[in-house]
Structure formats: C-alpha cells, structure tokens
Amino acid sequence: MYPAALLALLDDVQRAFVEMGGDAQEWPDPHLGADGRDRNPSEEEYERVTDQDRYRILWTRAGAWARVLTARDWAQQEIATGEERERWLAEPGGTPVRTRWLTPRRPGARALALAETESEERFPGLEIGVGDPAAATRLLPQCGCDACDDGSAEFLRHLDQRVLSIVDGSFELEFSRHGYRQRSSFGASCGTGGLRPRDSMVISTGPWAEDWTPLSKCGPITFDPSSH
C-alpha cells in the first residue's frame, strides 16, 4: 500500500494530464483480445509503425509532471531547445529537441530532465535523465514498432515509475566506462552502454518534499564488467 501523499501526487499528475488533453491521446493494447488474453504479434508488425506520432503522449505526460511539481513549488523549471550535449553525462538514446529541466528546491534532491526526442530515423520519444548535468536513465519507447506496442497505459506506467522514483528519492544509478546498474522500488537493471570514459560515479536521489519518506529500493544487481 502506497502512502497517501504519494497517491495524492499521482492523482494530481493524472488530473493535469487530462486537463492537457492527454486522455484523448490514449490507445488500447492492440494485442489484448476480447477475451482478455494477449495474442502474439504477427511477423508484419515487427516491420511496421502504424502511427509514430502516438508516442507524443509521452511529451504530454512529462508536461503534466512538470506542471504539478512546479505548482507544488518543489522545483523550478527551465525549458531548453536543442541537443545540449554538454548537459548530459551519459548521452540520451534519442536526439533531444526540447528538454524540461526541473531543479528541486530541497537540498539533497537531484534534478530531473525530461527530454522530448525526435529525429528522421526515430519516432518521437522521451528520455528521462537524473542530475544536471544529467545521466540518461530511461528512453521511452525503446522500440516503436507495432509488435512492441502494449498500449499507451503501459508506456505511461514506465514513465511514471521512473519520474516518481527520482522525485520520491528512491532511485540510484551507478555507472562508469564499463557499464551501469540502477535500481528503484520498481526494479533493478544493469548493462553496458556508450558512456564516456571519464564518467564514473554513483547518483543517489533524495526526496523533493519535506517530511517525505522514500520508498524502499530493490536490492542491487551484481555487475561484472569483465564478463562484457
């Protein structure tokens, strides 16, 4: 059971999302049958992107989060256009065209970067970064083909979980030239990536609100760089 304060925060985000027209952008899971069972994607779906603009719903959700966090006076917002590569420790998976930089007012809390990404080769997406300069932590969607489409609710869930864990103070990221590992209350992962050799650090977040108790983090994943 989540704390009442956390649920109230999510309710505010959902309310702002609806006010911004986000509910009109939603779509159902195309692989869920009338009987409630999932069907396997067809071969053709792996090569097809029916509507790449549908992923702009992620931009709307990011805007809803920014509206709520600034309205609560937990953070101040700066909106920047362009790639701003110097402000990213680990470069985002997409090419940022506009980034919401949210700087928390509370000491010990980490900044949140919500980068709207777009390019000729890639559908619209959202990169979620932590810190300023920011380390890229999650690009949504990771794949935009029809076969990987689980409906808008699933993409919004992943977005909310990552943003919430940073704002809540329950996110941790460790990375170096060998790879990364990250964890929150919603899970843990590790891997390799195109990180700059000079980067080697641990980023731990703190809560953005006073008298706020962070959720418990999952246990860390053991990462052996010599095996990669």
Side-chain angles (χ1 to χ4, degrees):
M1 190 65 167
Y2 292 121
L6 187 152
L7 295 175
L9 172 61
L10 293 175
D11 285 344
D12 284 353
V13 172
Q14 177 62 21
R15 189 175 302 109
F17 178 69
V18 172
E19 290 174 354
M20 297 167 69
D23 56 333
Q25 298 175 271
E26 295 178 335
W27 71 92
D29 182 349
H31 302 113
L32 189 64
D35 58 359
R37 296 182 180 180
D38 287 329
R39 68 167 178 83
N40 292 325
S42 65
E43 290 296 327
E44 294 77 14
E45 287 179 295
Y46 286 98
E47 304 296 330
R48 188 178 69 213
V49 180
T50 300
D51 179 13
Q52 66 176 17
D53 283 340
R54 64 190 167 197
Y55 295 114
R56 293 183 191 275
I57 191 174
L58 298 167
W59 299 5
T60 306
R61 190 69 166 195
W65 271 102
R67 177 185 292 188
V68 170
L69 294 172
T70 54
R72 288 180 172 223
D73 200 30
W74 290 2
Q76 59 184 12
Q77 178 179 219
E78 172 197 353
I79 298 179
T81 57
E83 297 185 39
E84 294 189 304
R85 292 188 178 275
E86 72 281 357
R87 292 186 73 170
W88 292 87
L89 293 173
E91 295 183 2
T95 302
V97 293
R98 187 175 74 154
T99 304
R100 298 177 184 272
W101 294 93
L102 293 157
T103 305
R105 299 187 183 281
R106 188 174 184 273
R110 294 280 189 170
L112 170 66
L114 300 172
E116 299 170 1
T117 63
E118 194 173 37
S119 68
E120 292 182 1
E121 300 81 15
R122 190 175 179 86
F123 35 81
L126 185 79
E127 180 70 74
I128 303 171
V130 60
D132 186 1
T137 72
R138 187 68 190 264
L139 178 66
L140 294 168
Q142 291 184 316
C143 177
C145 76
D146 288 359
C148 296
D149 180 8
D150 296 320
S152 59
E154 187 69 4
F155 294 110
L156 296 180
R157 180 177 69 86
H158 287 299
L159 189 160
D160 287 349
Q161 287 180 348
R162 181 51 48 86
V163 173
L164 176 62
S165 63
I166 294 172
V167 172
D168 172 72
S170 54
F171 181 75
E172 182 181 87
L173 170 65
E174 178 182 355
F175 65 100
S176 69
R177 60 191 176 92
H178 298 297
Y180 74 91
R181 59 181 178 179
Q182 57 189 18
R183 60 179 178 142
S184 70
S185 64
F186 300 106
S189 63
C190 67
T192 58
L195 304 179
R196 301 173 186 173
R198 67 179 177 82
D199 292 331
S200 182
M201 66 176 65
V202 176
I203 298 176
S204 296
T205 60
W208 285 26
E210 298 293 337
D211 302 319
W212 186 284
T213 302
L215 298 173
S216 298
K217 291 189 279 287
C218 293
I221 294 178
T222 301
F223 178 70
D224 181 8
S226 64
S227 64
H228 293 266

